[in-house]
mmCIF file of all heavy atoms in Angstrom:
data_model
loop_
_atom_site.group_PDB
_atom_site.id
_atom_site.type_symbol
_atom_site.label_atom_id
_atom_site.label_comp_id
_atom_site.label_asym_id
_atom_site.label_seq_id
_atom_site.Cartn_x
_atom_site.Cartn_y
_atom_site.Cartn_z
ATOM 1 N N MET A 169 16.809 104.737 -92.275
ATOM 2 C CA MET A 169 16.315 105.719 -91.297
ATOM 3 C C MET A 169 16.712 107.150 -91.670
ATOM 4 O O MET A 169 15.940 108.082 -91.493
ATOM 5 C CB MET A 169 16.811 105.366 -89.905
ATOM 6 C CG MET A 169 16.171 104.119 -89.328
ATOM 7 S SD MET A 169 16.724 103.798 -87.629
ATOM 8 C CE MET A 169 15.725 102.351 -87.218
ATOM 9 N N LYS A 170 17.927 107.320 -92.202
ATOM 10 C CA LYS A 170 18.374 108.661 -92.577
ATOM 11 C C LYS A 170 17.465 109.246 -93.651
ATOM 12 O O LYS A 170 17.039 110.403 -93.566
ATOM 13 C CB LYS A 170 19.820 108.616 -93.075
ATOM 14 C CG LYS A 170 20.357 109.993 -93.472
ATOM 15 C CD LYS A 170 21.799 109.908 -93.973
ATOM 16 C CE LYS A 170 22.296 111.288 -94.403
ATOM 17 N NZ LYS A 170 23.687 111.233 -94.958
ATOM 18 N N ALA A 171 17.137 108.420 -94.658
ATOM 19 C CA ALA A 171 16.253 108.890 -95.733
ATOM 20 C C ALA A 171 14.874 109.227 -95.178
ATOM 21 O O ALA A 171 14.238 110.196 -95.617
ATOM 22 C CB ALA A 171 16.150 107.820 -96.818
ATOM 23 N N ALA A 172 14.414 108.446 -94.195
ATOM 24 C CA ALA A 172 13.103 108.712 -93.590
ATOM 25 C C ALA A 172 13.108 110.043 -92.856
ATOM 26 O O ALA A 172 12.150 110.825 -92.941
ATOM 27 C CB ALA A 172 12.726 107.580 -92.646
ATOM 28 N N CYS A 173 14.186 110.319 -92.137
ATOM 29 C CA CYS A 173 14.286 111.585 -91.408
ATOM 30 C C CYS A 173 14.355 112.772 -92.375
ATOM 31 O O CYS A 173 13.760 113.829 -92.131
ATOM 32 C CB CYS A 173 15.506 111.568 -90.486
ATOM 33 S SG CYS A 173 15.341 110.430 -89.076
ATOM 34 N N GLU A 174 15.056 112.606 -93.473
ATOM 35 C CA GLU A 174 15.104 113.656 -94.496
ATOM 36 C C GLU A 174 13.727 113.864 -95.115
ATOM 37 O O GLU A 174 13.325 114.997 -95.406
ATOM 38 C CB GLU A 174 16.128 113.276 -95.567
ATOM 39 C CG GLU A 174 17.564 113.316 -95.074
ATOM 40 C CD GLU A 174 18.558 112.762 -96.099
ATOM 41 O OE1 GLU A 174 18.092 112.189 -97.121
ATOM 42 O OE2 GLU A 174 19.764 112.897 -95.871
ATOM 43 N N PHE A 175 12.987 112.771 -95.306
ATOM 44 C CA PHE A 175 11.623 112.837 -95.827
ATOM 45 C C PHE A 175 10.750 113.655 -94.885
ATOM 46 O O PHE A 175 9.956 114.504 -95.319
ATOM 47 C CB PHE A 175 11.077 111.412 -95.976
ATOM 48 C CG PHE A 175 9.719 111.311 -96.615
ATOM 49 C CD1 PHE A 175 9.591 111.057 -97.980
ATOM 50 C CD2 PHE A 175 8.562 111.435 -95.864
ATOM 51 C CE1 PHE A 175 8.340 110.940 -98.576
ATOM 52 C CE2 PHE A 175 7.298 111.321 -96.450
ATOM 53 C CZ PHE A 175 7.193 111.074 -97.814
ATOM 54 N N ALA A 176 10.894 113.422 -93.568
ATOM 55 C CA ALA A 176 10.101 114.158 -92.574
ATOM 56 C C ALA A 176 10.429 115.642 -92.597
ATOM 57 O O ALA A 176 9.533 116.491 -92.500
ATOM 58 C CB ALA A 176 10.336 113.571 -91.188
ATOM 59 N N ASP A 177 11.703 115.990 -92.729
ATOM 60 C CA ASP A 177 12.084 117.399 -92.793
ATOM 61 C C ASP A 177 11.559 118.058 -94.070
ATOM 62 O O ASP A 177 11.161 119.229 -94.067
ATOM 63 C CB ASP A 177 13.612 117.535 -92.743
ATOM 64 C CG ASP A 177 14.150 117.579 -91.317
ATOM 65 O OD1 ASP A 177 13.378 117.914 -90.395
ATOM 66 O OD2 ASP A 177 15.344 117.266 -91.126
ATOM 67 N N GLN A 178 11.550 117.299 -95.148
ATOM 68 C CA GLN A 178 11.107 117.846 -96.434
ATOM 69 C C GLN A 178 9.606 118.100 -96.452
ATOM 70 O O GLN A 178 9.136 119.128 -96.953
ATOM 71 C CB GLN A 178 11.482 116.876 -97.561
ATOM 72 C CG GLN A 178 11.024 117.332 -98.937
ATOM 73 C CD GLN A 178 11.314 116.295 -100.018
ATOM 74 O OE1 GLN A 178 11.938 115.260 -99.756
ATOM 75 N NE2 GLN A 178 10.859 116.559 -101.227
ATOM 76 N N HIS A 179 8.840 117.157 -95.881
ATOM 77 C CA HIS A 179 7.385 117.235 -95.987
ATOM 78 C C HIS A 179 6.701 117.709 -94.705
ATOM 79 O O HIS A 179 5.481 117.875 -94.684
ATOM 80 C CB HIS A 179 6.821 115.863 -96.377
ATOM 81 C CG HIS A 179 7.274 115.397 -97.730
ATOM 82 N ND1 HIS A 179 6.773 115.914 -98.897
ATOM 83 C CD2 HIS A 179 8.200 114.467 -98.091
ATOM 84 C CE1 HIS A 179 7.362 115.322 -99.934
ATOM 85 N NE2 HIS A 179 8.226 114.444 -99.476
ATOM 86 N N HIS A 180 7.478 117.900 -93.655
ATOM 87 C CA HIS A 180 6.957 118.370 -92.371
ATOM 88 C C HIS A 180 5.985 117.347 -91.775
ATOM 89 O O HIS A 180 6.420 116.253 -91.452
ATOM 90 C CB HIS A 180 6.353 119.774 -92.506
ATOM 91 C CG HIS A 180 7.325 120.759 -93.102
ATOM 92 N ND1 HIS A 180 8.495 121.120 -92.468
ATOM 93 C CD2 HIS A 180 7.318 121.421 -94.288
ATOM 94 C CE1 HIS A 180 9.178 121.977 -93.227
ATOM 95 N NE2 HIS A 180 8.482 122.176 -94.334
ATOM 96 N N THR A 181 4.722 117.664 -91.630
ATOM 97 C CA THR A 181 3.817 116.735 -90.944
ATOM 98 C C THR A 181 3.618 115.465 -91.781
ATOM 99 O O THR A 181 3.114 115.513 -92.897
ATOM 100 C CB THR A 181 2.450 117.391 -90.678
ATOM 101 O OG1 THR A 181 2.654 118.584 -89.917
ATOM 102 C CG2 THR A 181 1.562 116.442 -89.883
ATOM 103 N N CYS A 182 4.041 114.342 -91.203
ATOM 104 C CA CYS A 182 3.941 113.043 -91.862
ATOM 105 C C CYS A 182 3.357 112.035 -90.879
ATOM 106 O O CYS A 182 3.299 112.276 -89.671
ATOM 107 C CB CYS A 182 5.310 112.537 -92.317
ATOM 108 S SG CYS A 182 6.150 113.618 -93.506
ATOM 109 N N ILE A 183 2.926 110.909 -91.397
ATOM 110 C CA ILE A 183 2.469 109.821 -90.552
ATOM 111 C C ILE A 183 3.363 108.615 -90.808
ATOM 112 O O ILE A 183 3.651 108.274 -91.957
ATOM 113 C CB ILE A 183 0.979 109.490 -90.810
ATOM 114 C CG1 ILE A 183 0.490 108.441 -89.818
ATOM 115 C CG2 ILE A 183 0.725 109.066 -92.247
ATOM 116 C CD1 ILE A 183 -1.025 108.282 -89.787
ATOM 117 N N MET A 184 3.842 108.017 -89.713
ATOM 118 C CA MET A 184 4.647 106.814 -89.819
ATOM 119 C C MET A 184 3.798 105.638 -89.362
ATOM 120 O O MET A 184 3.167 105.687 -88.310
ATOM 121 C CB MET A 184 5.905 106.923 -88.961
ATOM 122 C CG MET A 184 6.865 105.755 -89.141
ATOM 123 S SD MET A 184 8.345 105.973 -88.152
ATOM 124 C CE MET A 184 9.040 107.426 -88.955
ATOM 125 N N GLU A 185 3.772 104.589 -90.177
ATOM 126 C CA GLU A 185 2.922 103.440 -89.882
ATOM 127 C C GLU A 185 3.746 102.163 -89.873
ATOM 128 O O GLU A 185 4.711 102.018 -90.636
ATOM 129 C CB GLU A 185 1.823 103.282 -90.940
ATOM 130 C CG GLU A 185 0.837 104.419 -91.029
ATOM 131 C CD GLU A 185 -0.195 104.168 -92.110
ATOM 132 O OE1 GLU A 185 -0.213 103.054 -92.690
ATOM 133 O OE2 GLU A 185 -0.995 105.083 -92.385
ATOM 134 N N GLN A 186 3.327 101.253 -89.024
ATOM 135 C CA GLN A 186 3.893 99.922 -89.077
ATOM 136 C C GLN A 186 3.531 99.277 -90.412
ATOM 137 O O GLN A 186 2.405 99.397 -90.889
ATOM 138 C CB GLN A 186 3.351 99.076 -87.925
ATOM 139 C CG GLN A 186 3.895 97.659 -87.874
ATOM 140 C CD GLN A 186 3.260 96.846 -86.753
ATOM 141 O OE1 GLN A 186 2.438 97.363 -85.998
ATOM 142 N NE2 GLN A 186 3.640 95.585 -86.660
ATOM 143 N N TRP A 187 4.484 98.605 -91.033
ATOM 144 C CA TRP A 187 4.230 97.927 -92.296
ATOM 145 C C TRP A 187 3.547 96.595 -92.008
ATOM 146 O O TRP A 187 4.057 95.770 -91.271
ATOM 147 C CB TRP A 187 5.538 97.685 -93.039
ATOM 148 C CG TRP A 187 5.359 97.063 -94.391
ATOM 149 C CD1 TRP A 187 5.339 95.740 -94.698
ATOM 150 C CD2 TRP A 187 5.157 97.762 -95.620
ATOM 151 N NE1 TRP A 187 5.150 95.556 -96.034
ATOM 152 C CE2 TRP A 187 5.032 96.778 -96.634
ATOM 153 C CE3 TRP A 187 5.064 99.108 -95.974
ATOM 154 C CZ2 TRP A 187 4.827 97.108 -97.973
ATOM 155 C CZ3 TRP A 187 4.862 99.433 -97.299
ATOM 156 C CH2 TRP A 187 4.748 98.445 -98.289
ATOM 157 N N ILE A 188 2.367 96.423 -92.577
ATOM 158 C CA ILE A 188 1.620 95.187 -92.361
ATOM 159 C C ILE A 188 1.983 94.188 -93.460
ATOM 160 O O ILE A 188 1.785 94.459 -94.644
ATOM 161 C CB ILE A 188 0.092 95.444 -92.378
ATOM 162 C CG1 ILE A 188 -0.291 96.458 -91.295
ATOM 163 C CG2 ILE A 188 -0.671 94.136 -92.197
ATOM 164 C CD1 ILE A 188 -0.068 95.977 -89.889
#
Side-chain angles (χ1 to χ4, degrees):
M169 290 183 177
K170 181 180 178 183
C173 290
E174 291 173 351
F175 185 96
D177 273 338
Q178 178 185 355
H179 296 285
H180 305 296
T181 303
C182 300
I183 186 167
M184 186 178 295
E185 297 179 7
Q186 181 183 358
W187 183 269
I188 301 294

